[in-house]
Amino acid sequence: MILKIAWRNIWRNITRSLVVMGAIIIGIWSIIFLVGMVNGMIESYIDNAIKNEVSHIKIHHPEFIKDKESKFYISDIANVKASVDTISGVKAVSYKTITNTMISSSHAGRGISAIGVVPKDEVTVSGVSNHIIEGNYLTDTKKNQILISKRTAKKLKVKLRSKVVLTFQNLENEITMGAFRVVGLFETGNNIYDESVVFIRQKDINNLLGMNGYGHEVAILIDDLEYLDQIQKSIALQFPKLLVRNYKEVQPELALFQSQIKMVGIIYMVIFMLALIFGIINTMMMAVLERVRELGMLMSVGMNKGKVFMMIVIETLLLAIISAPVGLFLGYLSTSYFHKTGINLFFYSEEGMKQFGFDKFIYPNVPTETFWQLVVAVSLTALLGSLYPAWKAIRLRPVEAIRGSFTSEKTRIFSRITNYIQYKLFNSKS
Amino acid sequence: MSLITIKGITKTYNPKKIPVHALRGIDLTIEEGEFTAIVGPSGSGKTTLLNIIGGLDRQTKGEILVDNVNISDLSDNKLIDFRKNKIGFVFQSYNLIPVFTAAENIGFIMLLQKKSKDEISKRVIELLKSVGIEEQKDKRPNQMSGGQQQRVAVARALASKPKFVLADEPTANLDSKSTSDLLDIMENLNRNEEITFVFSTHDQRVIDRAHRVVTIEDGKVISDVKIKN
Ligand SMILES: Nc1ncnc2c1ncn2[C@@H]1O[C@H](COP(=O)(O)OP(=O)(O)OP(=O)(O)O)[C@@H](O)[C@H]1O
Ligand SMILES: [Mg+2]
């Protein structure tokens, strides 16, 4: 019976109910969308970082990561690769020689990292080969090819098929040089990364450094991130003298980003709840004040306070119960639509965002927990928001309520304050 | 045994600030089966008296027994149950539940009393008939005239089979046709089902229909006339 009154009361002042329900729907929808966007953005960032640079697991000489000096190499690196390749769950493995070099053209020179790769292995692990915008990726056969980024090419004023000279310091601390021909230009989208590396064949670099068979880094991609720790452990067991790290250890900011996604969602939710709770209190307060006579009558004829209280609470909860699924559904629908098509968010500032390694397109992706967190948040907000109006309702004295002479000064001031806060919150959000 | 016994009731509003002495010592007994009008000019204390009899408000001094219960002794919660089970209320401004139909409004208190569905629907039909609004049973209050709404209110007041019905100016918002129709209904219920009615009014046409007229002025009973019908 209480449920029946509460339900019908919702439809009594349709405009008012629709405003609250609309606020809940839009709130839920926008949170899902925002969380999806942020999540999608960060996922793509992490994805790019893993593909282009970090990979899932890396093996180094323990000293190498501190100084990046050529002498901290892994000897017989091809064997390391071969045995990692046999571990189940490993998707692809490549190894490289990394050293600092001076790249110079007839116009300019710059310090840069030279990465010596085995082209046929490298394409399976690194995404750089997918970002060639001119020319081709390195091949296994030809000598002294070099792949540089478009940005580096611009700085050096070189083109495809130009010659550049790389200057190294070999293991004996002697200076060696090699002339390389630009076979391709790449652009990963991450400008910082692009300007800091060039790619050549491992064979060529090893010849110049005089370190045949050695290398500095083994990069591993795995099939399923769920087995990351397990695979990392079994590699570490096989090579106790080498340093085996996963991508979160290699680039701690990636792990930080991942945990930040969760925070962002929670912060949005708290802001939303705050805005919503004042809206709900205000609306239900109006509903109570409008029905003073009726509530007085209900209490006069024998409806007890518990029932009156429940009636207001249930009415509020019903508002949330009706609108929350709509918001969740709209959020789900729109994010899964854009998850397929992608959103071109950097329409205006493509360059700006690229610098930081973000993709031009965002594919919103909402973690499932966001949905149930929202359900809990909205129900809780509705419940909390209904308590004060419900308490006000049961404090009515039937005699006075029947006369309809109830609106205390306090109540009016309170309603004005909630109106003001609500206004402020909604306006500062947009 | 009297149904309602009132001894030396006074009521002072705002006792601390500017006291308003609404009732200044009322003695009154009402027997079962009466059809009594409380009359008096505006501000004389009619509403105040009915509220105290109905357990909606508490007197400042004096004693009141309703159906042998000293209602001043009842806690607020007990008083709610007492009102629910013993008293039927009809208010001046109809005061129906706007989101309920006529039939639902009538059955409402029986739902509060946790009566069975069958019993409720039987009684609702019976009451709709006796107040002559069977046709309006699925209409909501705002789709009915004032007279029809007030009949629903009378039916609702009777639904719980109360000891008596209290009606504060039940006809004040009605035209004369609706007023006399409503009084016919009330009088019939009083005669045929022996339902006790205590109602306030300052309408002479209503006063003329009462079987007993208690006149109060300035918070005191100034005359009490029984008219045998
Ligand atoms: N809550 C209250 N606070 C202070 N004074 C009140 C209150 N209710 C009623 N009064 C005063 O008590 C006196 C009696 O009022 P009451 O409403 O009982 O009169 P009434 O006979 O019902 O009048 P009416 O015919 O206008 O309905 C009046 O002077 C009124 O102003
Ligand atoms: Mg009155």
Side-chain angles (χ1 to χ4, degrees):
Chain A
M1 170 197 50
I2 291 178
L3 192 68
K4 196 155 144 194
I5 304 188
W7 172 258
R8 295 209 188 150
N9 274 337
I10 290 177
W11 307 110
R12 200 159 149 184
N13 190 330
I14 293 179
T15 329
R16 194 174 52 208
S17 297
L18 285 183
V19 167
V20 177
M21 293 196 287
I24 295 175
I25 291 171
I26 291 169
I28 291 181
W29 189 0
S30 55
I31 285 176
I32 291 176
F33 207 79
L34 278 169
V35 170
M37 291 286 278
V38 173
N39 197 25
M41 210 156 115
I42 288 168
E43 272 180 356
S44 90
Y45 177 88
I46 293 172
D47 228 46
N48 282 344
I50 286 171
K51 267 195 218 133
N52 296 336
E53 191 186 347
V54 187
S55 67
H56 289 133
I57 298 172
K58 280 189 168 176
I59 308 175
H60 294 108
H61 184 288
E63 301 289 327
F64 179 79
I65 60 160
K66 283 182 213 144
D67 299 339
K68 300 241 153 111
E69 279 192 53
S70 301
K71 63 180 180 197
F72 301 125
Y73 53 75
I74 303 171
S75 49
D76 210 3
I77 198 159
N79 262 343
V80 176
K81 169 193 161 18
S83 56
V84 170
D85 248 339
T86 62
I87 295 172
S88 78
V90 169
K91 190 169 162 192
V93 189
S94 72
Y95 57 93
K96 36 188 114 95
T97 299
I98 302 169
T99 188
N100 288 326
T101 183
M102 177 81 182
I103 183 169
S104 29
S105 67
S106 48
H107 290 280
R110 350 178 3 101
I112 209 159
S113 252
I115 301 182
V117 300
V118 181
K120 73 168 166 49
D121 293 338
E122 193 60 21
V123 294
T124 62
V125 174
S126 153
V128 173
S129 60
N130 298 327
H131 294 289
I132 307 294
I133 53 168
E134 259 182 79
N136 298 301
Y137 194 68
L138 306 172
T139 58
D140 286 300
T141 45
K142 260 198 193 154
K143 269 187 81 172
N144 285 18
Q145 317 157 47
I146 187 166
L147 185 68
I148 66 177
S149 73
K150 196 177 172 200
R151 294 181 77 86
T152 308
K154 228 182 229 165
K155 296 246 156 88
L156 297 174
K157 295 192 177 146
V158 297
K159 287 188 191 145
L160 207 59
R161 277 182 288 281
S162 299
K163 256 196 183 158
V164 292
V165 173
L166 298 186
T167 312
F168 303 98
Q169 202 171 21
N170 71 11
L171 290 181
E172 274 82 46
N173 286 334
E174 297 159 357
I175 303 293
T176 60
M177 282 192 239
F180 291 78
R181 194 175 290 282
V182 178
V183 296
L185 300 180
F186 68 90
E187 190 175 49
T188 61
N190 181 345
N191 294 344
I192 298 170
Y193 178 71
D194 283 7
E195 282 178 30
S196 62
V197 292
V198 297
F199 296 94
I200 54 181
R201 295 194 317 154
Q202 204 225 9
K203 243 186 219 162
D204 299 335
I205 197 171
N206 278 10
N207 277 339
L208 285 162
L209 296 177
M211 46 181 280
N212 269 332
Y214 306 165
H216 295 110
E217 178 177 295
V218 179
I220 300 151
L221 280 187
I222 64 174
D223 289 317
D224 188 344
L225 271 184
E226 218 167 287
Y227 302 109
L228 181 70
D229 290 344
Q230 204 178 314
I231 294 170
Q232 181 187 5
K233 261 189 210 138
S234 72
I235 296 171
L237 271 173
Q238 271 191 50
F239 304 103
K241 284 188 187 148
L242 297 177
L243 183 67
V244 182
R245 294 177 308 161
N246 64 36
Y247 69 95
K248 292 177 203 161
E249 294 160 328
V250 173
Q251 213 141 311
E253 77 259 26
L254 292 183
L256 192 69
F257 260 168
Q258 281 178 327
S259 68
Q260 269 173 355
I261 300 174
K262 285 183 188 142
M263 272 315 289
V264 169
I266 288 166
I267 288 167
Y268 283 150
M269 253 175 250
V270 169
I271 293 174
F272 167 60
M273 282 175 73
L274 277 177
L276 190 62
I277 201 163
F278 285 106
I280 286 176
I281 291 175
N282 200 50
T283 308
M284 291 316 291
M285 214 46 222
M286 285 201 299
V288 167
L289 293 180
E290 214 175 70
R291 287 181 216 153
V292 164
R293 262 169 190 278
E294 189 180 327
L295 292 166
M297 179 272 290
L298 290 171
M299 291 192 267
S300 297
V301 301
M303 190 156 161
N304 63 34
K305 292 186 177 189
K307 290 210 168 82
V308 173
F309 192 90
M310 282 312 290
M311 190 176 80
I312 305 291
V313 171
I314 289 174
E315 189 175 330
T316 319
L317 286 178
L318 281 176
L319 285 172
I321 289 169
I322 299 167
S323 45
V326 179
L328 293 172
F329 184 68
L330 286 175
Y332 172 78
L333 220 64
S334 52
T335 44
S336 38
Y337 172 75
F338 284 116
H339 184 70
K340 284 194 197 107
T341 60
I343 299 175
N344 186 349
L345 193 69
F346 311 132
F347 209 69
Y348 299 106
S349 63
E350 201 172 311
E351 273 309 302
M353 293 308 283
K354 264 193 174 178
Q355 240 174 43
F356 301 106
F358 288 104
D359 259 348
K360 184 172 160 187
F361 279 91
I362 291 184
Y363 299 89
N365 193 15
V366 188
T368 13
E369 71 224 37
T370 304
F371 288 97
W372 62 253
Q373 278 170 356
L374 274 168
V375 170
V376 172
V378 169
S379 324
L380 205 68
T381 310
L383 183 67
L384 288 176
S386 68
L387 293 181
Y388 181 74
W391 181 73
K392 270 285 166 193
I394 60 169
R395 292 238 318 181
L396 291 171
R397 294 190 53 232
V399 220
E400 284 151 26
I402 283 282
R403 284 179 202 254
S405 65
F406 171 90
T407 31
S408 75
E409 187 57 20
K410 255 194 289 179
T411 313
R412 252 176 285 134
I413 290 171
F414 180 81
S415 154
R416 224 174 291 147
I417 293 171
T418 52
N419 262 325
Y420 179 78
I421 295 173
Q422 200 186 351
Y423 171 83
K424 278 282 163 197
L425 274 174
F426 275 124
N427 283 354
S428 63
K429 242 179 109 184
S430 50
Chain B
M1 184 69 70
S2 309
L3 180 59
I4 302 165
T5 310
I6 295 168
K7 281 185 210 147
I9 289 283
T10 69
K11 174 70 181 179
T12 308
Y13 292 109
N14 294 330
K16 283 177 194 139
K17 295 177 201 160
I18 315 146
V20 179
H21 302 286
L23 298 178
R24 300 165 183 265
I26 303 258
D27 296 291
L28 191 66
T29 54
I30 287 166
E31 307 296 333
E32 261 179 65
E34 281 192 18
F35 196 68
T36 298
I38 311 282
V39 305
S42 186
S44 56
K46 303 183 293 292
T47 299
T48 306
L49 180 60
L50 288 188
N51 283 343
I52 290 171
I53 296 175
L56 291 170
D57 206 351
R58 291 183 189 274
Q59 70 273 27
T60 309
K61 266 192 203 143
E63 197 173 279
I64 171 164
L65 294 171
V66 177
D67 198 24
N68 289 325
V69 177
N70 188 340
I71 58 170
S72 337
D73 294 343
L74 297 178
S75 68
D76 282 355
N77 277 331
K78 284 262 168 61
L79 209 51
I80 289 176
D81 281 340
F82 184 82
R83 292 201 297 262
K84 180 171 74 190
N85 297 320
K86 296 271 166 90
I87 310 174
F89 289 92
V90 177
F91 304 98
Q92 178 179 334
S93 46
Y94 328 136
N95 266 318
L96 300 174
I97 301 170
V99 295
F100 272 7
T101 63
E104 286 168 336
N105 263 291
I106 296 169
F108 170 71
I109 296 175
M110 297 178 77
L111 277 172
L112 287 180
Q113 289 175 320
K114 302 203 164 72
K115 296 268 162 63
S116 75
K117 277 230 167 82
D118 287 348
E119 194 184 344
I120 294 174
S121 52
K122 236 171 85 188
R123 180 114 178 98
V124 167
I125 291 168
E126 202 179 290
L127 286 163
L128 281 164
K129 261 186 213 150
S130 65
V131 298
I133 46 164
E134 296 115 301
E135 257 123 76
Q136 326 291 328
K137 72 175 171 42
D138 293 322
K139 286 193 179 163
R140 289 198 182 180
N142 61 7
Q143 300 165 315
M144 289 185 277
S145 73
Q148 289 168 338
Q149 286 186 56
Q150 206 60 312
R151 291 194 219 176
V152 176
V154 170
R156 178 189 65 192
L158 293 173
S160 58
K161 299 203 168 145
K163 280 278 165 188
F164 61 98
V165 174
L166 284 178
D168 190 10
E169 311 215 24
T171 61
N173 292 348
L174 301 182
D175 57 40
S176 46
K177 172 79 171 69
S178 306
T179 299
S180 80
D181 287 351
L182 189 77
L183 281 161
D184 287 345
I185 289 164
M186 284 165 59
E187 211 171 359
N188 278 334
L189 288 163
N190 174 255
R191 189 175 300 133
N192 303 336
E193 299 182 31
E194 286 168 6
I195 290 160
T196 311
F197 279 91
V198 179
F199 49 94
S200 73
T201 187
H202 46 225
D203 181 341
Q204 193 53 49
R205 290 164 305 180
V206 180
I207 298 170
D208 291 344
R209 303 279 299 264
H211 302 176
R212 176 184 175 191
V213 178
V214 177
T215 311
I216 57 175
E217 245 181 71
D218 202 16
K220 278 190 198 131
V221 177
I222 57 160
S223 83
D224 185 346
V225 187
K226 277 182 189 143
I227 310 147
K228 279 280 175 235
N229 271 55

